[in-house]
Amino acid sequence: MVGMLRDVFLMLGAGLFVLNGFVGAQEAGKKSEWGDFVEKDFPFFSTVLNCRELGEGFAKDNLTPRGLVLNLGNNVWACYDLDLLRIACVWEGKEGKPPVTPEALAPGSYHVAGQKTKDGQEFLPKPVGKVWLTNGIYPGWQVGEKPRFEDPREPGPSVEEVGRGAMDSGHGRLGAVTMAGTEVVLEYSVDGCKLQERVQGGEHKGVRFVERVCTIPRREETLMMVVAERSEVRLMPPGAFWIREGGEGKMEPMAVEEVAGHWVVRVKASTTGGRLHVRQFLAGVDSSFAVNGPIDSMKKEGGKEAFAKVRFGGIETTQGVVSGSKEAYVVDKIALPVPNRWKRNVRLADVDFLDAEGNAVGVTFDGDVWMISGLKGDLEEVTWRRFASGLHEPMSVVVKDGAPFVYDRSGIWKLVDSNGDGECDRYEMFCNLFAQTAETREFPNSMKLGRDGALFISKGGQEGTTRGKHNGTVIKVAADGKSFEVVGHGL
């Protein structure tokens, strides 16, 4: 498959370039030269997460095909479901271990070239460590007075399949993931109401906690946050408080209700906006320990200056060898930036050109995006700059309207450098309307740009466990990303 190829070929004008480099870290007994697949200093990574076998007291059938795992610090992790807008799981990792088992293809083969995965959904990444909170297969945010704990999306050919794609706009839709300093800002809409959320980690009197800070505008209907399933943990209920817009930090305690075994916070309709704080301590503390207000380590909200942080920094330089042949069809060779300062494996899956001056963007199967310059002329200096990371086994990139669009298992992302520092700080969800199962072989195979600005994608077709909605299809995504149609199937 593409992720395992030793050479990646690029077309540029009349020449054919070959990018040479290692694709695996262990060959012929070699010790790995790469760092961990999950970089502990990066704020998130994407993965399938299987929480179906956590045992009694946890949400049943809890599987997340499109998960964004947030690094909350202190070895605490939270998985955010990009389709259902829910916190699927919060857990405390094991010291010296990765946060999830490396059972997906990208992490499993990262250090061992050629390492395969089994088809189906029996062997999938799981959280490593102590799980504290989970939610089941239902929206994390809901509108109205009475929450419903069921999946609102239309089922596919296999009704038990949870990989049904994004919800309709009335239930909720992801907008973007933005990095602000060490934090991640989730932007999404619920029934037209645009929210921003930071999931933060902290510690108080030696006890770790997770706090969700949601900026909520004026709204005409009651919004409900489903915090967690009550029956799964033997903890005191989460605490919640509200700070009004322009309220100078004045707090209003809010009730956390128990509804059908779930902890729910209601945000009533209001002509003013503000911030909702929901905090859960990760230990069996009693009510005397509760803190219903800001904690010093949590007071910082970030700001515009936080976006100035350069995460990767620096460039790597390689050289190419231009073919001396006079034939019409020639092969030039370009070395990949391996090894590199980040100790990162570079398994290119696709490249597209930004212009006719030899500037390109490349995506790796391991979730990184590189900006490449110098792919012209004598190839004496080819520069590589890490632009983005954390994506979910991407295999294609297209330059559309001057910006890179990457197709991964989570959907199609538009990558934006909002402050001009040469690194992506905003991942805009261009389209995730089509379904994606957790099937290990439902790869985001390829993406091409149509004449009218539409994007054509092809999806992996293997169905080892269930039949998904769009396995083995070719899909046309509208130029604005707001709709799609299947134009080919049975592949």
Side-chain angles (χ1 to χ4, degrees):
M1 62 162 292
V2 174
M4 299 303 160
L5 292 179
R6 179 176 297 278
D7 302 324
V8 177
F9 298 85
L10 315 179
M11 286 300 298
L12 175 58
L16 180 67
F17 291 87
V18 182
L19 301 181
N20 296 314
F22 297 108
V23 297
Q26 293 182 350
E27 294 181 358
K30 274 186 173 182
K31 184 179 179 180
S32 171
E33 62 185 288
W34 315 119
D36 293 337
F37 178 84
V38 176
E39 296 178 289
K40 295 295 181 63
D41 58 350
F42 197 74
F44 67 85
F45 67 95
S46 305
T47 185
V48 168
L49 193 68
N50 180 12
C51 297
R52 296 176 294 184
E53 302 169 0
L54 297 179
E56 188 66 29
F58 288 97
K60 308 298 183 185
D61 301 321
N62 184 9
L63 176 63
T64 308
R66 289 171 166 169
L68 189 74
V69 176
L70 305 172
N71 184 351
L72 306 184
N74 293 316
N75 205 15
V76 175
W77 308 82
C79 178
Y80 188 82
D81 187 324
L82 298 174
D83 286 332
L84 290 171
L85 307 183
R86 67 185 177 116
I87 294 293
C89 182
V90 173
W91 71 101
E92 186 176 352
K94 283 187 178 180
E95 196 65 36
K97 299 290 184 180
V100 301
T101 58
E103 294 178 87
L105 185 56
S109 64
Y110 189 74
H111 292 291
V112 184
Q115 179 72 37
K116 297 182 179 180
T117 57
K118 295 184 178 180
D119 67 339
Q121 301 184 33
E122 299 298 322
F123 300 93
L124 299 172
K126 303 175 184 176
V128 175
K130 181 176 178 57
V131 174
W132 288 102
L133 301 174
T134 62
N135 275 298
I137 307 300
Y138 41 77
W141 282 92
Q142 300 184 26
V143 178
E145 297 295 334
K146 185 178 181 181
R148 301 179 65 179
F149 305 108
E150 58 189 36
D151 192 340
R153 301 168 297 175
E154 181 181 351
S158 296
V159 295
E160 72 274 22
E161 172 57 57
V162 301
R164 300 178 179 182
M167 298 183 290
D168 62 48
S169 57
H171 284 95
R173 188 74 56 77
L174 178 71
V177 176
T178 302
M179 293 191 291
T182 59
E183 296 178 340
V184 173
V185 180
L186 304 167
E187 301 177 21
Y188 49 85
S189 61
V190 179
D191 194 33
C193 182
K194 295 184 178 181
L195 287 74
Q196 292 186 339
E197 176 176 351
R198 302 168 190 257
V199 186
Q200 306 171 325
E203 189 172 291
H204 180 68
K205 296 182 179 180
V207 180
R208 297 174 185 178
F209 63 88
V210 171
E211 184 161 317
R212 299 175 64 179
V213 182
C214 302
T215 301
I216 304 176
R218 300 172 180 87
R219 62 216 170 276
E220 297 180 355
E221 294 189 80
T222 295
L223 297 180
M224 295 175 290
M225 175 199 283
V226 183
V227 181
E229 291 203 2
R230 171 64 180 90
S231 60
E232 72 196 42
V233 288
R234 292 166 178 78
L235 304 176
M236 60 178 290
F241 59 94
W242 174 260
I243 299 178
R244 290 187 180 277
E245 187 177 275
E248 301 297 331
K250 294 180 180 178
M251 301 176 302
E252 296 180 19
M254 299 184 69
V256 180
E257 304 174 40
E258 185 175 338
V259 181
H262 299 77
W263 284 324
V264 176
V265 176
R266 300 178 193 269
V267 183
K268 298 290 186 180
S270 173
T271 57
T272 63
R275 291 197 314 273
L276 169 67
H277 293 244
V278 180
R279 179 184 303 140
Q280 176 65 66
F281 285 99
L282 305 184
V285 296
D286 59 32
S287 58
S288 64
F289 186 86
V291 179
N292 191 25
I295 295 177
D296 288 341
S297 63
M298 305 296 290
K299 285 182 179 179
K300 295 182 180 179
E301 292 295 318
K304 292 183 179 179
E305 69 281 356
F307 289 86
K309 178 180 175 62
V310 175
R311 299 185 177 279
F312 303 122
I315 61 174
E316 295 290 340
T317 303
T318 66
Q319 288 184 323
V321 178
V322 178
S323 171
S325 172
K326 301 300 182 182
E327 300 295 326
Y329 184 81
V330 300
V331 176
D332 299 329
K333 296 183 177 181
I334 301 170
L336 293 174
V338 290
N340 53 66
R341 69 191 67 194
W342 305 280
K343 295 184 178 181
R344 196 68 175 163
N345 200 346
V346 183
R347 303 190 289 178
L348 277 179
D350 194 19
V351 176
D352 197 14
F353 284 86
L354 293 159
D355 52 39
E357 302 301 317
N359 298 306
V361 56
V363 64
T364 76
F365 187 59
D366 306 298
D368 294 316
V369 178
W370 295 76
M371 290 296 179
I372 313 167
S373 297
L375 296 178
K376 65 174 185 176
D378 56 16
L379 303 177
E380 282 194 357
E381 185 175 88
V382 179
T383 61
W384 303 74
R385 178 192 296 273
R386 284 187 74 184
F387 181 69
S389 191
L391 298 174
H392 195 179
E393 297 185 342
M395 295 176 68
S396 51
V397 59
V398 162
V399 175
K400 173 179 159 70
D401 301 325
F405 286 69
V406 175
Y407 172 34
D408 75 349
R409 293 172 68 102
S410 295
I412 301 174
W413 299 95
K414 179 182 178 181
L415 305 183
V416 179
D417 173 12
S418 62
N419 62 1
D421 66 358
E423 298 182 6
C424 176
D425 51 38
R426 181 175 172 81
Y427 299 65
E428 296 181 357
M429 179 51 71
F430 180 72
C431 185
N432 66 341
L433 301 178
F434 44 87
Q436 172 69 44
T437 74
E439 161 67 56
T440 62
R441 296 296 193 276
E442 193 183 347
F443 296 115
N445 284 337
S446 63
M447 177 171 62
K448 299 298 178 184
L449 181 63
R451 292 181 180 179
D452 61 353
L455 292 169
F456 291 82
I457 61 174
S458 63
K459 295 178 63 63
Q462 197 160 326
E463 298 171 312
T465 304
T466 64
R467 292 184 60 199
K469 291 181 181 180
H470 300 126
N471 296 65
T473 62
V474 175
I475 292 173
K476 179 182 179 180
V477 177
D480 59 6
K482 295 180 180 179
S483 63
F484 74 95
E485 61 177 312
V486 176
V487 296
H489 58 86
L491 305 175

